[in-house]
DNA sequence: TAGCGAACTGAATTTTTATTCATTGCTGCA
DNA sequence: TGCAGCAATGAATAAAAATTCAGTTCGCTA
């Protein structure tokens, strides 16, 4: 009885507050109950499930997948983009766009952005990026050397300078190939002052934007010159490499894979990468499933931006519509 | 696209706020978005129906009926009590209990309570009322004379003094019959100083508790003496009286009905009643349907306390379970 | 291509809400 | 019957959220 009376009162207050939009103080005045008590009764309404708050997921957003990814892989954030069809082109576009939005809304002032230069997703991101309005400024550091092939060198340079320009930052180029022809060649290149200067910046990177590579000839790698010989690729596979970030390879369980290649690569190391405040992995597509999963297991990435199909597969669930 | 990205962000923020229970400032810190913007995005989430708040009505409460009554009859409040079965006894108990709770939660300090003395519902209310804890104090004024029959006189007196006691107030009794035997008798009674004093208080009543009577011999009226003769009742009916408050009669549409009886009744007038801040009508039961409706249409009551069956009938809907 | 107005933004401020604190009455137990 | 512990309350205060304000940017129009 008394219980029912109290429930009635709580229900009425709930109605006034949530439906009629009255302030607690107004309700308090109407009912001659102190505002403190109104607040307490509203909390009771929560506890007793008299108010129920549901989130109505808008089309094209996938909070479940995102939460799944966050929890399953211990990510700080996960962003799952809507995507028309499960093919490279569509995915690149979706993921790049999402990444651009992410960057533009969460970039800090005075942030030092590290960007890996060989990723189609990152290219797309920069393409969809609008000049950042607010006084967001920073430095943009290229954390992976360019490609031997001059045409892709240009891509890498473009990526870094464009991003710097859009964010009002100072570009810091890494004027060296991503893969030197030999250990000695690498040593020689590192002797260069500019290269040195940029590599010294690696430890200052606060936000790293990286693609995630699969160990197999990707379209871009294939067309952009003979970075690795088929033999080298085979060797990588044999030593268990499943994917890479900035050409630093890791196995299916995420453990780093050291091969002689390491000594020829000019890029941030996985350890240096972990020093960044936020490492954002941007990748999607069935071809990369295993590589992405490996990167997540290795904990190289704090934030993953991907598409709904890939997200679904990473979680072993069917993708939403 | 941009739209989708934004929706995703809003959804994520909504999730953090409502599901994970984070403060706006925490979200703001995590996402590097100002608290002001978080607040604005959450409002957008409301507008766009991404958050949906539903009220889960607990068993035994009837906000729909209450809202219906409020809106249909322009009431300040309506309280609909749960009630086992649609019979007098059950209803009296439910309504009395609800009224007691109402009184105990919304009584102001220094309130002047007017109470009509001939109502079974009010008796029940006082019976279920606990002594008011908090320093609620006031005056309790009897706004309708007692009954000729001494045994009910006691009831009326009891009602007023008990209520005064429970609310820590000063009782102000009306030591006169509700209906004088003649106009002259009434005049004589009014000459009495105590009666005068009490009647002068009528205009100070801030909270009036009144029953609503049907024009027909109710059980109580019937057993409590010959207040009205069958002829008088017939006369009332003939002049269109449908119900009364404190023996002041009104027609089905709420307009006051004047009969010679008026000049013999010793009670607050309908006009004086309207001067009270809050007039609480307490009544239920099929027998009183028409009277209650008439009282509501007449606007004599600001707050109605009734049972679910009566409420349902007043609204012309079937009662909830 | 300059100028105008609408739309956004973050800092500061105001408004609203939650919580602390001191008090009080009640309950159960000695 | 008296007292300790507990629950509930309102006033005061702290915390959180909404809004104002001032400054920008951006898209149009002239």
């Amino acid at each position: 009885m008394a219980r029912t009376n109290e429930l009635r009162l709580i229900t009425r207050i709930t109605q006034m507050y949530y439906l009629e939009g009255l302030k607690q103080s107004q309700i308090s005045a109407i009912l001659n109950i102190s505002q403190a008590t109104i607040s307490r009764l509203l909390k009771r309404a929560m506890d007793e499930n008299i108010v129920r708050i549901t989130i109505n997921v808008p089309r094209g957003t996938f909070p479940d997948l995102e939460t799944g990814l966050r929890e399953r892989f211990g990510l700080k954030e996960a962003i799952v983009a809507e995507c028309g069809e499960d093919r490279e082109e569509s995915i690149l576009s979706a993921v790049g766009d999402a990444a651009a939005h992410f960057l533009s809304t969460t970039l800090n002032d005075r942030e030092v952005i590290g960007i890996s230069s060989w990723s189609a997703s990152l290219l797309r991101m920069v393409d969809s990026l609008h000049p950042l309005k607010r006084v967001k400024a920073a430095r943009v550091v290229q954390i992976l050397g360019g490609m031997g092939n001059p045409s892709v060198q240009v891509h890498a340079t473009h990526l870094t300078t464009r991003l710097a320009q859009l964010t009002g930052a100072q570009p810091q180029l890494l004027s060296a190939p991503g893969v030197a022809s030999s250990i000695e060649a690498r040593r020689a290149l590192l002797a260069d002052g500019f290269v040195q200067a940029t590599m010294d910046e690696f430890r200052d990177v606060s936000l790293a934007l990286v693609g995630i590579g699969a160990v197999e000839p990707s379209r871009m790698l294939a067309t952009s010159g003979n970075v690795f010989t088929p033999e080298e690729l085979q060797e990588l596979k044999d030593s268990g490499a499943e994917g890479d970030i900035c050409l630093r390879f890791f196995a299916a369980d995420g453990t780093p894979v050291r091969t002689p290649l390491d000594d020829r690569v000019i890029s941030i190391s996985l350890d240096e990468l972990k020093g960044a405040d936020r490492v954002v992995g941007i990748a999607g597509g069935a071809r990369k499933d295993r590589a992405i999963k490996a990167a997540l297991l290795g904990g190289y990435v704090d934030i993953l931006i991907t598409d709904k199909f890939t997200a679904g597969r990473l979680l072993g669930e069917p993708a939403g519509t």
Side-chain angles (χ1 to χ4, degrees), chain A:
Chain A
M1 274 303 105
R3 174 103 188 108
T4 303
N5 280 326
E6 173 147 56
L7 283 181
R8 199 212 71 90
L9 180 61
I10 293 180
T11 307
R12 177 76 186 112
I13 290 173
T14 303
Q15 193 181 34
M16 290 169 128
Y17 189 73
Y18 289 105
L19 259 45
E20 301 172 23
L22 299 178
K23 310 293 177 201
Q24 293 186 4
S25 51
Q26 295 177 284
I27 300 174
S28 155
I30 294 172
L31 299 177
N32 300 311
I33 299 176
S34 75
Q35 179 268 321
T37 301
I38 301 288
S39 171
R40 286 188 267 247
L41 289 176
L42 283 170
K43 183 190 278 183
R44 293 263 314 273
M46 286 288 191
D47 297 343
E48 311 214 15
N49 264 296
I50 292 171
V51 277
R52 203 170 281 175
I53 296 182
T54 45
I55 296 182
N56 199 321
V57 177
R59 269 189 72 76
T61 73
F62 309 95
D64 295 351
L65 291 173
E66 294 176 347
T67 302
L69 289 172
R70 279 202 308 278
E71 292 183 350
R72 174 85 170 280
F73 298 107
L75 292 169
K76 200 153 111 183
E77 274 299 324
I79 294 179
V80 174
E82 169 65 311
C83 177
E85 29 177 6
D86 190 5
R87 291 189 307 108
E88 297 262 322
E89 178 48 30
S90 188
I91 288 174
L92 275 182
S93 152
V95 166
D97 185 56
H101 183 259
F102 169 81
L103 191 63
S104 70
T105 52
T106 77
L107 190 62
N108 277 348
D109 274 11
R110 342 199 129 269
E111 189 119 55
V112 178
I113 304 175
I115 184 163
S116 89
S117 57
W118 276 5
S119 157
S121 317
L122 291 181
L123 265 179
R124 281 309 192 96
M125 178 192 80
V126 171
D127 282 349
S128 3
L129 197 61
H130 293 277
L132 291 204
K133 2 203 152 194
R134 295 282 134 210
V135 275
K136 314 256 177 181
R139 235 169 333 148
V140 174
V141 184
Q142 180 180 342
I143 56 175
L144 169 59
M147 194 63 91
N149 182 321
S151 84
V152 181
Q153 266 287 20
V154 170
H155 265 315
T157 302
H158 170 76
L159 195 63
T160 307
T161 47
R162 186 93 215 287
L163 180 60
Q165 181 188 327
L166 292 172
T167 57
Q170 207 58 34
Q172 191 88 27
L173 296 170
L174 186 61
S175 322
V179 187
S181 54
S182 69
I183 298 188
E184 294 71 28
R186 179 174 187 271
R187 193 172 300 138
L189 286 160
L190 293 199
D192 179 83
F194 290 105
V195 171
Q196 269 299 344
T198 298
M199 292 187 75
D200 284 347
E201 302 262 354
F202 288 175
R203 74 188 69 248
D204 298 334
V205 167
S206 63
L207 175 65
L209 303 171
V210 301
I212 296 172
V215 177
E216 67 169 308
S218 88
R219 196 165 311 159
M220 199 157 178
L221 246 72
T223 60
S224 62
N226 320 320
V227 196
F228 300 126
T229 62
E231 291 75 28
E232 285 170 331
L233 278 176
Q234 194 54 50
E235 190 183 333
L236 277 169
K237 284 216 166 143
D238 291 347
S239 50
E242 196 72 76
D244 79 279
I245 288 173
C246 295
L247 296 184
R248 303 300 182 177
F249 292 85
F250 39 79
D253 65 354
T255 52
V257 168
R258 269 202 64 83
T259 70
L261 265 178
D262 262 337
D263 299 323
R264 288 167 45 206
V265 168
I266 297 178
S267 76
I268 197 170
S269 71
L270 290 176
D271 278 343
E272 282 170 321
L273 198 59
K274 288 191 175 175
D277 292 338
R278 298 186 285 173
V279 178
V280 185
I282 301 165
R287 196 169 53 71
K288 293 192 170 182
D289 282 357
R290 290 147 63 86
I292 295 171
K293 190 163 208 162
L296 295 181
L297 291 175
Y300 302 120
V301 159
D302 300 311
I303 297 166
L304 176 69
I305 302 181
T306 191
D307 66 280
K308 69 174 177 186
F309 299 109
T310 307
R313 286 189 305 264
L314 287 171
L315 292 170
E317 298 163 9
T321 305

